[in-house]
Amino acid sequence: MKSLESSFSVKYVSLLLLILSCALCLFIFRSIPVSKIWNGYKVLYVDKAVEEVDVLNSLYEAGCKDVITMSLQKPPIITPFSSFQKDYNSYLELRLGYFFDKSSSYRLFYIPDSYEHQAGIALKNIIKNWHVRAGLDADSVFPYIVPFITVIVYILLGMASAKKRYFFVPGFFLVVLSLSMPFYTVAAGSCLFLFALYLSNKVWGRKSDVRALLRNFDIVVLLISSVVILCGLSQRCIFLAFVALSASFASIVLIKESALHNDMQSAFNYSLIFSAYQVSVINRKNMKALLFMTIPVSVLLLFFLFSAKFLPKTSAEGIELPIPISSNTENIAENSVFLPAISNYFVWAWNTITYPYRSVNYEYSESVSEGSSVYFSNFVQKENGVQEKNSAVYTFNNEFKKQLEKDLENLDYPAVELLMKLQDHNTSVAYSLSKQPVQSGNDIVNLIMLLMALAVPLSLSLSYYHGVERRI
């Protein structure tokens, strides 16, 4: 008897530690959707009525450092021949467009991500002191509808469950998952898993309950669909989904072990007449619950459609800001105003550095072919006399560009080129309305996952009405 007690204690402690570890992972590795325009920086826009120096003072007082602003910009490269170079100032003037919106109604400031909290404090002070329109276009956005839907489904199905501990305890970790990863597909997958737990309530406690559930077509479809949807977002989501499901299954094992332990200590035990294999998880009584599952998934689908890229939501409320645009982006307006990107800086730097080695009749070019070189003639003494030798002084290649980026980090001021170099080198920059994504990953993939979540309960309901006769 003591050995049985000891064995139960070891299992109990092990399962409890596993569950607690999983819960801790869900908290530590949580992810919140963030609306970001620029990698590494947040954009602060302030009405032009407020002087730049006043905005900077508010930012500095709040603790923000290395703010990229217009008044601090200098030429990143200066040579003794800069004043003679044709079009030397063209790039320098065009890059100033980074510091105003398209209508020139707002000043723009770029704040490193590490000062997010301080930027929020500065923003509140600016609005309070000057009563003007201002905002951070990179505010963290928590879609409360996602965990709200999951919690509602959790509560309603839990209240309707016959064996509530088999639902509320393992289902709790799916609710925590939707709070840790508040994305539409995660909520949809969690709802399907919660419904699988609800349907399995009829089976728990019967003979061979676990094996019967794993062989039940309806439960298997719900479980596989929920796992696919939960894991279809990102590697972090795959990890957290595995953690949440592990905690859920561990809690079921813990409940069953506890029930078995109590039965062993009880003087009288009863067993249900029908085995788990004789019970249908879907019947006329829970068909309403099956159709009910289409409602929360449909709500999630609608919210996703109204927040996805094909129906963009602008967090800057209609202000057209400088935004990096991928080279393969479609439907770029013909009248778009483009600003210099890092590729333009490389060309400007090339023309500036190589100016002393080129003819004064050289025409300025806005593009440079990869591998282009500038040669310098020198003379070498050889056995048969002095010979001319051409050697490449500079070559426009990856090594040249990497050196330019390294030199930017050594500047004594926060240059706007530091912002440029953190973006994809194949992007352009143009004025556009800022999109506020609340869903990570590819929108098409997410849409397919949500449609799949909607199709599963509909398909199961159709299979019930057109399938074989149900026993119970």
Side-chain angles (χ1 to χ4, degrees), residues 37-221:
I37 294 179
W38 298 93
N39 295 332
Y41 286 86
K42 305 186 184 303
V43 184
L44 172 67
Y45 59 93
V46 182
D47 193 293
K48 198 169 66 172
V50 183
E51 295 296 330
E52 181 189 36
V53 63
D54 295 324
V55 176
L56 287 176
N57 286 337
S58 296
L59 289 170
Y60 295 152
E61 288 174 3
C64 295
K65 298 179 181 179
D66 301 322
V67 179
I68 298 177
T69 185
M70 188 173 71
S71 63
L72 298 179
Q73 299 309 300
K74 305 173 187 177
I77 298 174
I78 301 177
T79 70
F81 305 95
S82 296
S83 58
F84 304 102
Q85 183 181 339
K86 184 185 296 185
D87 295 324
Y88 174 78
N89 293 319
S90 60
Y91 163 81
L92 300 178
E93 293 173 355
L94 287 173
R95 68 177 183 163
L96 297 181
Y98 274 85
F99 303 103
F100 292 95
D101 69 306
K102 189 175 182 179
S103 65
S104 297
S105 301
Y106 296 88
R107 302 182 194 275
L108 306 182
F109 304 82
Y110 300 90
I111 305 165
D113 283 343
S114 55
Y115 299 106
E116 178 181 9
H117 177 68
Q118 294 87 335
I121 296 174
L123 174 61
K124 291 179 181 179
N125 293 334
I126 291 170
I127 296 175
K128 178 182 178 181
N129 295 333
W130 284 279
H131 306 287
V132 294
R133 188 181 177 192
L136 274 169
D137 195 62
D139 287 336
S140 295
V141 181
F142 192 93
Y144 291 98
I145 187 65
V146 173
F148 177 76
I149 291 292
T150 310
V151 170
I152 291 297
V153 171
Y154 175 70
I155 293 175
L156 292 179
L157 292 180
M159 295 301 294
S161 298
K163 301 179 179 66
K164 290 181 170 48
R165 61 177 177 172
Y166 279 101
F167 179 86
F168 277 116
V169 178
F172 172 76
F173 299 100
L174 276 299
V175 175
V176 176
L177 177 63
S178 68
L179 288 167
S180 299
M181 299 285 289
F183 303 113
Y184 297 114
T185 52
V186 174
S190 298
C191 288
L192 290 184
F193 187 86
L194 290 174
F195 190 66
L197 288 176
Y198 168 74
L199 293 180
S200 65
N201 254 242
K202 294 183 62 180
V203 178
W204 294 123
R206 299 179 185 271
K207 185 179 179 180
S208 303
D209 50 4
V210 175
R211 282 183 291 177
L213 285 173
L214 293 178
R215 293 182 182 181
N216 184 277
F217 175 78
D218 302 316
I219 296 296
V220 170
V221 169

Side-chain angles (χ1 to χ4, degrees), residues 381-395:
Q381 178 68 49
K382 292 193 175 182
E383 293 179 359
N384 55 352
V386 177
Q387 294 183 1
E388 183 179 5
K389 180 182 179 181
N390 290 328
S391 57
V393 184
Y394 294 102
T395 301

Side-chain angles (χ1 to χ4, degrees), residues 28 61 188 222 226 258 275 337 341 396 409:
I28 294 175
E61 288 174 3
L222 285 168
S226 63
S258 179
S275 70
V337 178
F396 192 78
E409 297 176 359

Side-chain angles (χ1 to χ4, degrees), residues 323-360:
I323 290 177
I325 300 175
S326 176
S327 57
N328 55 8
T329 300
E330 298 179 356
N331 301 324
I332 299 177
E334 294 182 359
N335 60 345
S336 297
V337 178
F338 287 88
L339 299 174
I342 191 65
S343 57
N344 302 108
Y345 169 69
F346 290 151
V347 173
W348 175 85
W350 168 264
N351 287 314
T352 300
I353 294 172
T354 61
Y355 180 78
Y357 302 94
R358 291 186 275 104
S359 169
V360 293

